[in-house]
């Protein structure tokens, strides 16, 4: 029983290696590359009404460029010379010209 099982496993491995060697190149990577190329060449409406619109949109260079711009702008807002962290590190000083005080409740 064990000998038959070992022979079966050996046959499975041999068949798998034979199949792997019979295909030229990396079949799985080629399939992924074809999917990426299809998303890059697809119409915007097709991407947005697909089952994975966010994944499809990130295949477009315009969306990637927009998110890069937004991320650099947010980094500038937080870490820039007049950013939020700069104000916190310098004794919590906030640069502003006007402040508004709203009284929500009066004491007795």
């Amino acid at each position: 029983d064990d000998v038959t099982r070992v022979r079966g496993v050996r046959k499975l491995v041999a068949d798998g290696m034979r199949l792997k060697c019979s295909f030229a190149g990396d079949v799985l990577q080629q399939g992924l590359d074809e999917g990426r190329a299809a998303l890059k060449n697809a119409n915007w409406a097709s991407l947005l009404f697909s089952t994975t619109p966010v994944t499809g949109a990130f295949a477009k260079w315009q969306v990637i460029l927009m998110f890069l711009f937004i991320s650099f702008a947010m980094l500038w807002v937080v870490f820039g010379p007049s950013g939020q962290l700069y104000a916190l590190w310098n004794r919590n000083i906030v640069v502003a010209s006007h402040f508004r005080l709203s009284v929500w409740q009066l004491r007795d």
Side-chain angles (χ1 to χ4, degrees):
D1 190 40
D2 289 336
V3 174
T4 310
R5 187 177 302 139
V6 170
R7 284 184 187 157
V9 170
R10 283 186 183 168
K11 185 175 182 327
L12 273 173
V13 171
D15 289 344
M17 293 304 289
R18 194 175 307 113
L19 280 173
K20 186 175 182 180
C21 293
S22 65
F23 292 114
D26 193 3
V27 177
L28 295 176
Q29 186 63 39
Q30 182 181 0
L32 286 173
D33 291 339
E34 287 173 3
R36 285 190 197 112
L39 285 174
K40 284 185 180 179
N41 297 330
N43 192 358
W44 278 96
S46 302
L47 288 176
L48 296 178
F49 287 106
S50 67
T51 56
T52 56
V54 176
T55 306
F58 273 107
K60 296 289 194 178
W61 66 269
Q62 296 94 341
V63 174
I64 294 171
L65 188 66
M66 179 188 68
F67 272 95
L68 279 173
F69 177 74
I70 290 171
S71 62
F72 284 130
M74 292 305 296
L75 284 172
W76 180 259
V77 165
V78 173
F79 296 108
S82 63
Q84 300 297 320
L85 284 181
Y86 181 80
L88 288 174
W89 287 333
N90 291 318
R91 286 180 265 140
N92 207 9
I93 299 171
V94 179
V95 179
S97 58
H98 293 86
F99 289 98
R100 176 178 290 181
L101 176 65
S102 298
V103 179
W104 288 5
Q105 185 177 5
L106 298 174
R107 288 193 328 183
D108 290 336

